[in-house]
């Protein structure tokens, strides 16, 4: 408990404060402070704030992925160069050349992993704040910036008759299962897993290069595509409704974010890039990344003709003079 | 004649003064044996920090070597791009065939690229 909680403490403070601030704002705007909808809206806005703040991190991650991709041909060349040279010194030389390559492309093996590490504490903090309300309420404690009264209000509030602290599993096992909890939880679990599945599916069907699609990791990726939603679906029956709201909201954000990136900034060499270039061609724009190379070729003959026409009368005039 | 009986003393003293260096080498070698494999291939620089430290201490001694190693660790951060970064050469020299293994491993001869060699042949 100790070490992990201490690490998460500042993040939990931030997250709980934002939740508290939105709850306060919506209450001042005339919403019922103890209504589940006020808390639901606060959770959704909390997700919006956190995910907006994390956009630069996401951009960095995309850039790192692109750099790693740009590096692949060089890396393969290097592997071919050292093929069969298994002695220690050759291996060291290969590592040295690899490091130079990473330096040239201004990336490193960890750069696409670092942004994920930065996001982790925020998501953990969010999860623990929303997941621990029942425990904190029982102990009469607050969570971060939320006072014990806030925690109690959050925990007792409900949407469609399902309390934000209720879980699917608990209501099933309680002897008198609440139909509304079961329905709300199931809808949220389906929405949560579906949005995750669609996010992953659109990456795999559109935003991967042919090479990656035929690569050795594809089989694992395909398995993950079906296993991850299953894991979250099964885990979901044990999550309080409040956590399910957060998870669905954040997954929907991810879905939208991925859709935007795939549409406007697809991976070079992917199906999505082909589609983007078709859309650009329909608008009369050159393919992505060829702005300068393509434009003069199209414009050149148009400019060249009037020039020759203009020069001819000039020459005649000069000759006459 | 008067200096002769003193001869063994500087050698002994030199050995005593070498203890910190040997101790650090031992520690670094133990670290590289036990902990480095846990990390895997994560370094931005070549040689890795521990390999750099081992060479630096071996070549420059405990004090300067530790300083060089500390500076290298500081240079490895999320905004650095890494690359090849060798320990600056020191004054210590070793007899033929007795060069410390870390020196050999940290300075592998890099074979020329095949296409570069082809280009040279063509030109």
């Amino acid at each position: 408990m100790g070490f992990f909680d201490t690490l998460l403490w500042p993040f939990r403070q931030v997250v709980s404060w934002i939740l508290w601030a939105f709850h306060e704002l919506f209450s001042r705007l005339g919403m019922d402070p103890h209504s589940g909808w006020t808390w639901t809206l606060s959770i959704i806005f909390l997700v919006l704030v956190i995910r907006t703040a994390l956009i630069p991190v996401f951009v960095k991650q995309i850039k790192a992925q692109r750099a790693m991709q740009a590096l692949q041909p060089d890396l393969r060349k290097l592997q071919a160069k050292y093929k069969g040279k298994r002695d220690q010194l050759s291996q060291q030389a290969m590592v040295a050349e690899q490091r130079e390559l990473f330096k040239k492309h201004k990336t490193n093996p960890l750069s696409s992993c670092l942004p994920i590490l930065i996001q982790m504490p925020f998501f953990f903090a969010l999860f623990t704040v929303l997941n621990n309300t029942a425990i904190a309420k029982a102990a009469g404690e607050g969570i971060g910036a939320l006072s014990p009264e806030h925690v109690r209000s959050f925990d007792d509030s409900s949407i469609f008759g399902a309390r934000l602290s209720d879980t699917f599993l608990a209501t099933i096992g309680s002897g008198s299962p609440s139909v509304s909890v079961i329905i709300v939880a199931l809808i949220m679990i389906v929405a949560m897993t579906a949005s995750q599945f669609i996010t992953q599916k659109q990456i795999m069907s559109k935003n991967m290069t042919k090479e990656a699609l035929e690569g050795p990791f594809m089989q694992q990726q395909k398995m993950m595509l079906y296993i991850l939603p299953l894991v979250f679906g099964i885990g979901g029956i044990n999550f309080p409704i409040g956590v399910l709201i957060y998870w669905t909201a954040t997954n929907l954000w991810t879905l939208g974010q991925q859709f935007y990136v795939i549409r406007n900034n697809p991976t070079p060499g992917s199906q999505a890039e082909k589609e983007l270039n078709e859309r650009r061609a329909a608008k009369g724009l050159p393919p992505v990344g060829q702005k300068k190379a393509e434009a003069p070729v199209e414009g050149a003959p148009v400019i060249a003709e009037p020039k020759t026409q203009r020069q001819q009368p000039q020459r005649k005039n000069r000759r006459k003079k | 004649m008067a200096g002769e009986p003193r001869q063994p003393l500087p050698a002994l003293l030199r050995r005593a003064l070498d203890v910190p260096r040997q101790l650090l080498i031992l520690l670094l070698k133990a670290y590289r044996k036990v902990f480095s494999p846990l990390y895997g291939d994560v370094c931005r620089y070549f040689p890795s920090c521990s390999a750099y430290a081992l060479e630096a201490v071996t070549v420059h001694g405990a004090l300067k070597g530790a300083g060089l190693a500390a500076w290298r660790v500081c240079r490895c951060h999320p905004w650095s791009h890494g690359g090849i970064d060798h320990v600056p050469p020191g004054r210590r020299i070793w007899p033929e065939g007795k060069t410390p293994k870390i020196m050999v491993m940290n300075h592998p001869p890099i074979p020329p690229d095949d296409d570069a060699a082809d280009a040279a042949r063509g030109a």
Side-chain angles (χ1 to χ4, degrees):
Chain A
M1 252 205 148
F3 178 69
F4 196 59
D5 272 1
T6 315
L7 263 183
L8 272 186
W9 186 84
F11 296 99
R12 206 176 284 158
Q13 287 290 322
V14 171
V15 165
S16 59
W17 187 84
I18 299 172
L19 186 64
W20 169 84
F22 275 119
H23 181 257
E24 198 70 9
L25 176 72
F26 294 132
S27 302
R28 294 266 170 92
L29 288 175
M31 289 181 77
D32 175 10
H34 301 299
S35 158
W37 292 107
T38 313
W39 283 110
T40 301
L41 212 59
S42 303
I43 294 174
I44 292 172
F45 272 81
L46 169 63
V47 169
L48 292 182
V49 166
I50 299 270
R51 294 305 302 257
T52 308
L54 287 173
I55 284 178
V57 179
F58 178 72
V59 169
K60 203 165 158 73
Q61 191 178 349
I62 295 269
K63 280 188 179 159
Q65 281 169 358
R66 294 290 148 80
M68 282 304 279
Q69 233 163 17
L71 183 102
Q72 288 308 312
D74 282 348
L75 211 56
R76 267 195 301 278
K77 231 182 264 171
L78 202 65
Q79 277 159 356
K81 181 178 169 184
Y82 286 94
K83 203 180 173 189
K85 294 180 186 170
R86 301 298 306 166
D87 63 293
Q88 233 181 336
L89 215 53
S90 293
Q91 288 296 308
Q92 285 288 93
M94 184 168 107
V95 172
E97 284 208 77
Q98 234 174 51
R99 298 292 178 268
E100 274 300 288
L101 207 59
F102 278 114
K103 185 184 180 183
K104 201 179 105 196
H105 288 270
K106 294 185 177 164
T107 183
N108 69 78
L110 271 187
S111 61
S112 33
C113 168
L114 193 72
I116 299 173
L117 289 180
I118 294 172
Q119 296 175 34
M120 288 294 254
F122 285 101
F123 293 137
F124 265 123
L126 251 166
F127 177 78
T128 52
V129 165
L130 298 175
N131 201 34
N132 288 341
T133 51
I135 299 163
K137 182 194 159 200
E141 290 169 354
I143 300 177
L146 297 169
S147 69
E149 289 76 46
H150 279 109
V151 171
R152 208 177 310 126
S153 162
F154 179 96
D155 216 58
D156 289 336
S157 68
S158 58
I159 50 170
F160 299 120
R163 287 187 312 159
L164 294 189
S165 54
D166 280 333
T167 70
F168 182 86
L169 214 58
T171 198
I172 291 284
S174 67
S176 54
S178 150
V179 179
S180 31
V181 172
I182 292 174
I183 292 174
V184 171
L186 278 184
I187 289 174
M188 296 303 271
I189 290 170
V190 169
M192 172 177 101
T193 46
S195 51
Q196 174 152 19
F197 179 81
I198 295 167
T199 303
Q200 198 54 34
K201 183 81 187 166
Q202 71 173 349
I203 293 174
M204 285 175 60
S205 63
K206 288 201 162 176
N207 207 29
M208 289 178 88
T209 56
K210 225 181 189 160
E211 242 172 358
L213 285 171
E214 289 159 3
F217 295 112
M218 203 52 209
Q219 215 50 43
Q220 285 161 324
Q221 289 244 351
K222 266 185 191 155
M223 246 160 67
M224 290 302 267
L225 175 67
Y226 294 99
I227 289 174
L228 270 185
L230 210 67
V231 169
F232 279 100
I234 294 168
I237 61 173
N238 203 21
F239 289 154
I241 305 277
V243 171
L244 291 179
I245 293 168
Y246 145 66
W247 221 299
T248 307
T250 202
N251 277 0
L252 284 174
W253 175 286
T254 311
L255 181 67
Q257 196 170 256
Q258 277 298 347
F259 181 79
Y260 179 85
V261 168
I262 290 175
R263 198 177 157 81
N264 296 306
N265 193 5
T267 307
S270 63
Q271 173 69 22
E273 194 197 31
K274 213 194 258 171
E275 284 170 17
L276 174 64
N277 283 337
E278 276 165 17
R279 283 198 307 275
R280 287 177 67 97
K283 281 187 209 161
L285 291 165
V288 189
Q290 287 185 21
K291 274 173 209 156
K292 283 158 198 164
E294 198 84 335
V297 179
E298 279 176 32
V302 187
I303 303 161
E305 272 178 282
K307 258 185 192 168
T308 48
Q309 278 172 347
R310 243 180 264 146
Q311 275 171 347
Q312 277 170 342
Q314 270 180 347
R315 277 180 205 156
K316 280 171 192 169
N317 288 342
R318 276 175 195 164
R319 277 174 197 166
K320 278 174 190 172
K321 277 174 187 175
Chain B
M1 277 301 213
E4 249 179 3
R6 276 189 198 163
Q7 279 275 320
L9 200 71
L12 201 73
L13 197 69
R14 219 179 292 143
R15 191 154 290 180
L17 283 174
D18 201 33
V19 165
R21 187 180 77 103
Q22 295 292 355
L23 211 68
L24 271 182
I25 288 176
L26 213 68
L27 275 172
L28 282 164
K29 279 187 176 165
Y31 173 88
R32 282 170 58 71
K33 203 90 187 160
V34 179
F35 294 106
S36 292
L38 298 177
Y39 287 102
D41 194 15
V42 297
C43 298
R44 288 157 194 268
Y45 284 105
F46 179 89
S48 68
C49 279
S50 66
Y52 185 98
L54 183 53
E55 184 188 337
V57 170
T58 308
V59 173
H60 293 280
L63 218 61
K64 196 181 170 193
L68 280 167
W71 176 231
R72 164 48 125 38
V73 172
C74 290
R75 271 180 291 146
C76 180
H77 52 74
W79 296 276
S80 75
H81 296 307
I84 294 177
D85 172 53
H86 287 304
V87 177
R91 276 173 301 173
R92 278 185 176 73
I93 42 167
W94 288 272
E96 190 73 21
K98 289 217 165 175
T99 317
K101 194 181 174 209
I102 190 70
M103 290 288 293
V104 181
M105 284 301 150
N106 278 358
H107 300 269
I110 292 183
D113 293 332
D114 283 341
D115 47 346
D118 288 343
R121 236 174 281 140

